[in-house]
C-alpha cells in the first residue's frame, strides 16, 4: 500500500508518518519507483504500535525507540519491560532526609514481605519511596497501611499478564505481549481503578469495615 | 512563619509560591505588616497538597482548583473524586466505528458482570473502551480476557481506599482522604504494578498456568 492508505488504515496523518520515518521509528517502505514507497501489514502494525506507545503510553521518542529496539532484538519480556519503563541508570542521590529514609524502609519491608528481589536503588522502588514519603509529608502516613493490599492486587495483575505473555508462540511474540500487557494494561488499569473507586465511594454503599482486611 | 520558611519547609521555591498565591491555589497569608504576610500550618499543608496534585498527579491548574474547591466545600468523597478525575461534560461523539462499538460492548459486559452502575458515556468508561479498542487494533484482543482479573484487583484496591476514607473523623477529613487515596494510591499503584511485573517476568520463574484463573 502507499503512504496514503497506510495513513488512513492506521488513523495517523501523513506528516506524522513522515516524521516517524525520518526519526527511524518506522521502517522505510520498499521503493516501488524512485519517488514511491510501498508499505505492507508489518508497517501498519509497527505504525499502530508506535502510535499507541506515544499516545497511550505518553512515551518520549527515545523510549519508544528503546522499546522497538528491544522488540527487534527478540529480547526477553524482562528486558523489554525494562526498556518500556525507561529505567535511568544515572541518578543523583538525594540529600540525607529522615522522611526519605523512613519511606525507603517502608519499601524494603514491603519487598521483603512479598519476596520481591528488587535492589533498593531500583528506579521504580525509588519512585514508590517518593510516593510513600509524600504521604507522610501530607499527613497521611496511615495510607501506607494499604500498601500490602495494593501489592497483593498488583501481584494478581502481574500473574494475569505473565499468563498472557507465556501464551506467545515465539520469543518475538512473547516480547510484544509483554509490551502490550504493560501499555494497554496500564491504561485499562487506571480506568478500572477509577471506576471501582467511584463504585465503592457511592454514598449509598454499606459502611466498609465488615470485609476481610484485604478482601 | 514568613514565606521563606514556608518555602523551605515545603520544599517549594518562593517564586512558585507567589504564583500559587496569584492564581488563588494557595490562600493568602495574614498581613503582619503592610509588606509582610504570615503563614501557618494550614498554609503549609495546603501548599504541600497543591504541589503533590501538580507533581505527582500531573494535574493542570484548573483541575487542582476544582479539587481544592470541592475540599473547601466539604464535598462527599464521591464528589471530590469526580473533581479529581476532571470528568469533562462536553464530549464529541466519535464516528460510528465497529471496533469502538465492540470495545463499548466489552466494557458494558464487564460492568454488568461486576455490578458496576456506570452509564456507558461515563468519561472513564470511554477511556477504558479506547484502551480495549487499541488492544484489538494492535492485534492483541485476547488481552481483554484479563479484564476481569484486572477489575477484581481494582475492586480490592478500591475497598482498601474506602476503608481509609471511612476512618476520617469528619466530612472534610473524609474528602481529603479520598483525594490522598486517589493521588498517592495512583502513584504507589503504578510503581507496585511495575515491580510485581518485573518480579513475575524473571526468566527463572516457574511456568505460569498452574495457578487459579485469577489467583
Amino acid at each position: 500500500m502507499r503512504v496514503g492508505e497506510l495513513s488512513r488504515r492506521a488513523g495517523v496523518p501523513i506528516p506524522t508518518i513522515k516524521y516517524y520515518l525520518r526519526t527511524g521509528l518506522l521502517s522505510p517502505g520498499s521503493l516501488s519507483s524512485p519517488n514511491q514507497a510501498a508499505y505492507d501489514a508489518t508497517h501498519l502494525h509497527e505504525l499502530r504500535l508506535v502510535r499507541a506507545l506515544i499516545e497511550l503510553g505518553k512515551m518520549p521518542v527515545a523510549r519508544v525507540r528503546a522499546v522497538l529496539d528491544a522488540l527487534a532484538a527478540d529480547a526477553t519480556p524482562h528486558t523489554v519491560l525494562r526498556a518500556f519503563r525507561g529505567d535511568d541508570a544515572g541518578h543523583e542521590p538525594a540529600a540525607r532526609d529522615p522522611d526519605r529514609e523512613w519511606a525507603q524502609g517502608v519499601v524494603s519491608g514491603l519487598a521483603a514481605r512479598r519476596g520481591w528481589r528488587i535492589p533498593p536503588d531500583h528506579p521504580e522502588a525509588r519512585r514508590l519511596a517518593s510516593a510513600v514519603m509524600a504521604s507522610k509529608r501530607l499527613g497521611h502516613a496511615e495510607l501506607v497501611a494499604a500498601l500490602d493490599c495494593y501489592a497483593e492486587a498488583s501481584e494478581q495483575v502481574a500473574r494475569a499478564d505473565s499468563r498472557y505473555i507465556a501464551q506467545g508462540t515465539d520469543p518475538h511474540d512473547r516480547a510484544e505481549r509483554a509490551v502490550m500487557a504493560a501499555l494497554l494494561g496500564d491504561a485499562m488499569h487506571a480506568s478500572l481503578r477509577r471506576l471501582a473507586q467511584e463504585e465503592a465511594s457511592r454514598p449509598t454503599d454499606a459502611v466498609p469495615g465488615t470485609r476481610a482486611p484485604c478482601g
Side-chain angles (χ1 to χ4, degrees), chain A:
Chain A
M1 73 191 95
R2 293 196 187 165
V3 70
E5 192 186 341
L6 183 68
S7 162
R8 196 182 51 73
R9 289 184 60 181
V12 177
I14 293 179
T16 309
I17 293 178
K18 291 193 168 163
Y19 170 73
Y20 293 163
L21 286 167
R22 274 201 310 279
T23 49
L25 291 184
L26 184 63
S27 309
S30 52
L31 283 183
S32 50
S33 82
N35 288 317
Q36 194 91 263
Y39 302 91
D40 58 21
T42 312
H43 291 99
L44 180 60
H45 181 72
E46 206 177 48
L47 179 55
R48 284 180 169 154
L49 176 60
V50 168
R51 194 64 172 172
L53 290 170
I54 290 176
E55 296 258 296
L56 270 182
K58 313 225 179 293
M59 274 188 200
V61 166
R63 224 160 92 215
V64 173
R65 189 175 289 125
V67 171
L68 296 179
D69 287 349
L71 283 175
D74 288 348
T76 63
H78 193 73
T79 306
V80 174
L81 285 176
R82 278 183 173 273
F84 182 87
R85 283 192 314 268
D87 293 353
D88 44 344
H91 165 68
E92 288 296 309
R96 276 184 67 92
D97 178 323
D99 285 347
R100 179 163 290 278
E101 281 164 16
W102 171 81
Q104 282 164 343
V106 167
V107 173
S108 309
L110 178 76
R113 282 194 302 280
R114 313 306 307 185
W116 291 353
R117 293 152 288 176
I118 42 164
D121 63 341
H122 188 290
E124 211 59 57
R126 285 203 313 263
R127 262 172 232 143
L128 179 57
S130 294
V132 168
M133 189 172 74
S135 75
K136 184 157 200 270
R137 293 232 168 124
L138 288 161
H140 287 264
E142 288 165 72
L143 189 57
V144 165
L147 266 184
D148 280 276
C149 282
Y150 289 177
E152 200 177 299
S154 300
E155 287 172 351
Q156 186 172 318
V157 168
R159 283 196 295 271
D161 289 346
S162 288
R163 279 191 296 272
Y164 184 68
I165 295 167
Q167 287 158 10
T169 47
D170 57 55
H172 184 268
D173 189 23
R174 283 191 287 276
E176 186 171 297
R177 281 167 177 257
V179 170
M180 292 300 157
L183 173 69
L184 300 170
D186 273 359
M188 291 173 182
H189 212 66
S191 291
L192 286 169
R193 192 161 132 57
R194 297 208 160 81
L195 290 171
Q197 230 169 17
E198 176 156 333
E199 193 59 37
S201 76
R202 277 183 199 278
T204 50
D205 267 356
V207 178
T210 53
R211 301 181 191 249
C214 206

